[in-house]
């Protein structure tokens, strides 16, 4: 007697996604997981690393930010408005609940001097680079009497 096993064509994609999440943090296409996530931009200047996260409809009080061992974590929770039993939803796509995102930082930062600002639904975290991660200027010294590689006689 043979047992029929239902084939799931997306099972391998879910395995791949979990593997990628382990390397890069949660992805933004998690449709059926319990944790919500959000898009981020990570930019770098000579002095700072800047992480900008889109968190529309979130209050700053509902956001928790931490930096630990080169990883920035942003998490929080959104709560649904109270609904009455008389409401019949035709469509309910706005998701409520816990959200989080871990972002591996590409350079060492001075997390003691990090600053965060929340404006118009965007969270901006500015992380000063650690001294060893900043570019160094090296001045070129020229010997007197030598110009453009030629020797004076």
């Amino acid at each position: 007697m043979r047992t029929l096993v239902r084939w799931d064509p997306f099972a391998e994609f879910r395995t791949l996604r979990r593997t990628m999440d382990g390397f890069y943090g949660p992805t933004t296409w998690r449709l059926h997981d319990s944790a919500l996530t959000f898009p981020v931009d990570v930019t770098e200047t000579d002095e700072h690393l800047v992480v900008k996260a889109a968190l529309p409809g979130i209050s700053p009080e509902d956001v928790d930010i931490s930096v630990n061992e080169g990883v920035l974590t942003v998490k929080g929770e959104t709560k649904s408005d109270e609904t009455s039993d008389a409401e019949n939803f035709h469509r309910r796509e706005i998701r409520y609940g816990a959200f989080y995102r871990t972002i591996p930082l590409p350079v060492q930062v001075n997390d003691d001097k990090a600053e965060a600002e929340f404006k118009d639904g965007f969270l901006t975290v500015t992380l000063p680079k650690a001294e060893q991660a900043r570019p160094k200027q090296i001045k070129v010294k020229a010997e007197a009497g030598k110009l453009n590689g030629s020797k004076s006689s």
Side-chain angles (χ1 to χ4, degrees):
M1 180 168 159
R2 291 186 165 188
T3 304
L4 291 177
V5 177
R6 185 176 184 149
W7 178 60
D8 181 2
F10 298 104
E12 291 183 32
F13 288 111
R14 283 192 292 276
T15 302
L16 175 63
R17 189 199 67 216
R18 282 191 296 275
T19 303
M20 297 292 285
D21 285 351
F23 289 113
Y24 301 109
T27 57
T28 56
W29 41 282
R30 301 176 82 134
L31 298 177
H32 301 292
D33 289 349
S34 60
L36 305 176
T37 188
F38 47 87
V40 298
D41 289 341
V42 179
T43 58
E44 181 177 350
T45 67
D46 286 345
E47 302 289 319
H48 296 93
L49 195 64
V50 179
V51 179
K52 188 173 186 179
L55 297 171
I58 307 295
S59 298
E61 301 83 34
D62 295 331
V63 179
D64 181 33
I65 306 164
S66 63
V67 179
N68 188 18
E69 297 183 9
V71 177
L72 173 71
T73 302
V74 179
K75 61 183 176 178
E77 185 173 357
T78 60
K79 294 181 173 71
S80 168
D81 295 332
E82 294 296 319
T83 59
S84 70
D85 293 334
E87 291 180 298
N88 293 319
F89 284 95
H90 290 278
R91 183 177 294 263
R92 188 162 191 180
E93 295 180 356
I94 298 174
R95 299 203 45 204
Y96 300 97
F99 62 87
Y100 73 95
R101 184 84 187 259
T102 55
I103 301 125
L105 302 175
V107 297
Q108 288 183 330
V109 296
N110 187 350
D111 51 340
D112 293 336
K113 295 185 179 179
E115 295 179 358
E117 179 184 7
F118 203 97
K119 184 177 180 187
D120 297 330
F122 286 93
L123 170 68
T124 303
V125 181
T126 304
L127 303 145
K129 286 185 181 179
E131 193 62 38
Q132 61 267 31
R134 293 182 183 180
K136 306 290 187 262
Q137 280 295 98
I138 301 171
K139 297 201 180 212
V140 178
K141 297 178 184 177
E143 290 184 38
K146 292 186 178 179
L147 193 57
N148 294 331
S150 61
K151 296 182 180 179
S152 55
S153 28

